[in-house]
Amino acid sequence: MKSIWKRYVNRIYGNCTEPIQFGKSLDYWRNELFAATVIYIIPLSLIAVIPGVYMSYISGLYPLLLVDVIAVGSIIGVAFIPRLSVFTRKLIFCGALYITSIALLYYLGSSGPGLLYLLALTIFIILCLEIKYAQAAVILNALICTLIGLALHFDTLGQSPLTSEYEFDTWIAVSSNLVFLSAVAVFLLPKLFGGLQSTIEEHEKLETKLEKNQERLEDSIKQLYNKNKELEDFSYTVSHDLKEPLRMIRSFLELLKKKYDGKLDKKAREYIYFATDGAQRLNTMIDDLLEYSRAGRVYTEIDEVDMNDLMEGIKMQFAGDIHAKKAKLRYNSLPTIRASSVSINTVFRNLVNNALKYHRPEIPPVIEITAEERNSDWLFTVQDNGIGIKAEYFDQIFSMFRRLHNSEDYPGSGMGLAICKKIVEQHGGDIWVESEDENGCKFCFTISKEVH
Ligand code: ADP
C-alpha cells in the first residue's frame, strides 16, 4: 500500500513540477503547491464526487453528473498524461474547475457551491500561476457573472434553480461580491508573494556569498596549512643539518682542550671555555627547535591517556630535582582524556620543569596541578609559588626563543612554552598564563574533547 502511494506521489510530482533547483524561486513553490493539490484532490474529490454523482443520478441531473465525471477525468488526465508541460496541466485543471463551478451554479443555484468554487479557483490561480493569469481570472469572473446576469435579464437560461432564485438585480448584487473578493485577493496576495520572492532571492544571494566566503576560507586554511608544513619541514631540515657542523666544532674544541691544555695560557683557556659553552647552548637550541618542528608531526597518535599515570611518570622524571629543591608536586585524582600521550607529556614536562626552575630563592617550590571538565574541553592548570611573570610578558613568553632571564641565572633556550603552545593548539585548545607579580604563576591550558 505504502509503495503504491509512493509511486503515485512520485509520478504526479514528476509530471506536475519542473526540475528547478530547490528554493531557487517562487515558481518552484508554485509547482510544488500545484503538484500537492493534484496529489490530494484526486482521493479527496471522491468525498464530493461520489455523493454528488449519486444525488445527480437520483434527481435526474444527468448533465451535472456528466460534468462531475469530466472534471474528475480531467484532473486524473492532468496528473498522469505524459509529455504535457506543467503550464498546460495547470490550464486544464483550471478549465475543468471553471466548467464544474458554472455547472454547479446553474444546476444547484445558491444551495450549491458554484460561487465558492469560482472564488477558490481565483485564489488557486494566484497561488499557482503568474499574477497576470490571476488578473485575467478576475476579469473572467466578472465576465461570467455579467453574462449570467444578461442571460437572466433576457430569460435565455431555461428553467433551473439559478433562474428561479435570482432576478437580474439580485444576481448582480450577489455576484459582484464574488468579483470584489477575487479582486481583493488578487491585489493583496501577490504583495505577500512579492515579499516572499525578495526574501528568497536575498537568502539565495547570501547563501552564494557565504559559499564563496567558505571556499575562500577553506583555500586560505589549505594555504596556511601548506605554508606551515613547509616551514616545519624547513626548520626540521635546517636544525637537523646544523647538528653535523656543530658536532664537528664541539669535538675539535674538545680536541683542542685535551691536546693543548697545558700549553695554553689562562686567556686562551677562557676563550675555549666560552666557545664550548656557546656551542653547547647552540646545541640545546637546535635540539629544542627540532623538538618544536617534530611536535605533532611524529607524535600524532591519539589515545586514551590516564593523566594520573602520566603525572606519576613526570614525578619520576623530576625525582632528582624535586628531592634537591625539597619541592612538592601535588594533584588530586586526574581524568582520563583523549590526546597524544607523548605530546601531553611534553607539555607537562615543560611546565613542571619551569615551575621547578623559576622558584624563589630559599623557598621550596610547591606545584599544584588541577583538571576541570567543561562542556567541550578539559581545563588543566599548573600553579607554582615561584618568581612570577609581569603581565606585559604574558603573551610574549609563548613565542619561540623568547626568554625573560639570561642563561647564567636560569638556563634554557626559550622554546619550552612555544612547544607547549603548538601542542595545545594541535589538540584544539588554548594556553595562557595568570600571575600576580612575584606571587608565583598559574599556567592554564585546554584540551578539546573532540581531538581525532
Ligand atoms: P625557557 O624556560 O627555556 O627560558 P620557556 O619557553 O619555557 O623557555 O619560558 C619562556 C620564559 O617564560 C622563561 O624564560 C621565563 O622567563 C618565563 N617563565 C616560564 N615559566 C615560568 C614560571 N613558571 N615562572 C616564572 N617565569 C616563567
Side-chain angles (χ1 to χ4, degrees):
M1 191 66 192
K2 217 174 175 182
S3 80
I4 295 175
W5 174 254
K6 215 172 172 184
R7 269 165 53 200
Y8 163 82
V9 168
N10 285 344
R11 184 75 180 273
I12 297 181
Y13 256 109
N15 286 338
C16 296
T17 57
E18 275 159 2
I20 304 170
Q21 226 188 315
F22 178 78
K24 243 310 185 245
S25 70
L26 208 52
D27 283 342
Y28 169 85
W29 294 108
R30 282 188 169 125
N31 290 345
E32 282 281 304
L33 183 68
F34 175 56
T37 309
V38 176
I39 287 169
Y40 291 105
I41 210 169
I42 293 174
L44 290 176
S45 64
L46 297 179
I47 299 171
V49 167
I50 292 173
V53 167
Y54 178 69
M55 283 307 293
S56 309
Y57 180 72
I58 291 203
S59 336
L61 292 171
Y62 298 117
L64 186 58
L65 193 148
L66 186 68
V67 168
D68 273 350
V69 172
I70 290 174
V72 174
S74 307
I75 294 171
I76 291 174
V78 163
F80 296 109
I81 294 173
R83 283 186 291 282
L84 280 182
S85 72
V86 175
F87 179 68
T88 313
R89 289 176 201 275
K90 286 179 183 174
L91 286 190
I92 297 174
F93 183 87
C94 294
L97 288 185
Y98 260 117
I99 292 168
T100 316
S101 316
I102 294 167
L104 286 169
L105 204 57
Y106 182 74
Y107 288 108
L108 301 180
S110 61
S111 64
L115 282 176
L116 207 64
Y117 266 44
L118 281 176
L119 180 62
L121 195 51
T122 313
I123 291 173
F124 175 80
I125 293 172
I126 299 169
L127 295 177
C128 290
L129 283 159
E130 281 174 43
I131 180 69
K132 58 183 176 195
Y133 298 106
Q135 287 160 349
V138 178
I139 295 170
L140 194 62
N141 281 352
L143 207 66
I144 292 169
C145 292
T146 314
L147 285 176
I148 293 176
L150 287 174
L152 284 171
H153 183 66
F154 293 110
D155 211 4
T156 53
L157 282 177
Q159 212 39 44
S160 93
L162 180 74
T163 51
S164 56
E165 275 172 15
Y166 294 109
E167 296 290 319
F168 172 74
D169 39 5
T170 48
W171 167 254
I172 293 297
V174 170
S175 66
S176 59
N177 280 306
L178 165 76
V179 179
F180 164 71
L181 286 175
S182 314
V184 167
V186 168
F187 183 70
L188 290 181
L189 285 182
K191 285 222 173 302
L192 177 71
F193 285 142
L196 275 179
Q197 176 76 45
S198 54
T199 310
I200 291 174
E201 279 168 10
E202 198 65 30
H203 184 76
E204 193 80 11
K205 264 190 222 153
L206 279 177
E207 223 163 57
T208 323
K209 211 169 154 190
L210 203 71
E211 263 168 30
K212 271 193 195 142
N213 281 348
Q214 186 109 5
E215 270 168 28
R216 239 179 271 152
L217 194 72
E218 272 166 20
D219 268 2
S220 306
I221 290 173
K222 216 184 260 170
Q223 274 179 20
L224 198 71
Y225 176 81
N226 289 341
K227 281 270 168 277
N228 261 344
K229 182 115 194 34
E230 258 173 46
L231 216 65
E232 272 178 11
D233 289 349
F234 174 74
S235 59
Y236 181 78
T237 318
V238 167
S239 43
H240 195 265
D241 292 354
L242 279 178
K243 292 278 283 187
E244 186 45 41
L246 187 63
R247 205 172 296 131
M248 236 167 81
I249 294 171
R250 288 176 71 197
S251 52
F252 276 106
L253 280 172
E254 273 306 308
L255 267 178
L256 198 65
K257 213 168 117 189
K258 240 191 221 163
K259 264 199 145 178
Y260 300 99
D261 204 23
K263 297 174 195 139
L264 295 173
D265 63 5
K266 196 175 159 231
K267 206 71 187 161
R269 280 205 299 275
E270 212 174 83
Y271 289 161
I272 290 177
Y273 168 78
F274 285 139
T276 314
D277 184 53
Q280 174 57 42
R281 270 194 284 138
L282 190 57
N283 193 47
T284 314
M285 282 168 87
I286 291 172
D287 279 346
D288 285 347
L289 200 58
L290 264 171
E291 185 169 359
Y292 180 82
S293 59
R294 273 202 204 112
R297 180 185 145 110
V298 180
Y299 312 131
T300 45
E301 230 160 81
I302 302 295
D303 226 339
E304 299 284 319
V305 186
D306 183 337
M307 298 303 293
N308 298 298
D309 292 349
L310 189 135
M311 215 47 74
E312 277 306 307
I314 295 278
K315 239 180 174 172
M316 302 262 278
Q317 282 176 52
F318 290 101
D321 223 7
I322 290 175
H323 179 74
K325 293 180 175 163
K326 295 192 176 65
K328 284 202 167 58
L329 180 64
R330 295 186 191 138
Y331 56 90
N332 284 328
S333 166
L334 295 174
T336 296
I337 64 166
R338 278 187 65 70
S340 153
S341 69
V342 185
S343 303
I344 296 299
N345 189 69
T346 306
V347 174
F348 275 106
R349 181 165 42 79
N350 279 311
L351 295 181
V352 170
N353 183 36
N354 282 351
L356 287 168
K357 184 163 56 171
Y358 299 104
H359 73 96
R360 278 185 279 170
E362 314 299 329
I363 298 180
V366 177
I367 307 160
E368 285 208 56
I369 291 162
T370 67
E372 182 193 324
E373 180 166 15
R374 306 198 303 183
N375 279 345
S376 57
D377 56 20
W378 292 97
L379 169 67
F380 291 97
T381 63
V382 178
Q383 172 136 35
D384 63 44
N385 59 341
I387 58 174
I389 300 173
K390 285 196 176 122
E392 64 210 78
Y393 300 119
F394 281 179
D395 287 335
Q396 296 182 23
I397 52 170
F398 294 99
S399 304
M400 283 160 82
F401 298 118
R402 184 72 177 105
R403 308 206 66 224
L404 305 181
H405 305 95
N406 59 41
S407 302
E408 278 80 53
D409 296 339
Y410 298 99
S413 65
M415 285 297 289
L417 291 178
I419 292 172
C420 292
K421 184 175 162 70
K422 189 175 174 192
I423 292 173
V424 166
E425 282 175 357
Q426 274 167 350
H427 282 75
D430 211 357
I431 184 166
W432 67 96
V433 65
E434 295 166 6
S435 170
E436 278 172 32
D437 201 20
E438 310 242 34
N439 238 341
C441 49
K442 182 156 112 181
F443 280 89
C444 312
F445 69 93
T446 56
I447 298 290
S448 168
K449 288 180 181 170
E450 303 288 317
V451 186
H452 302 294

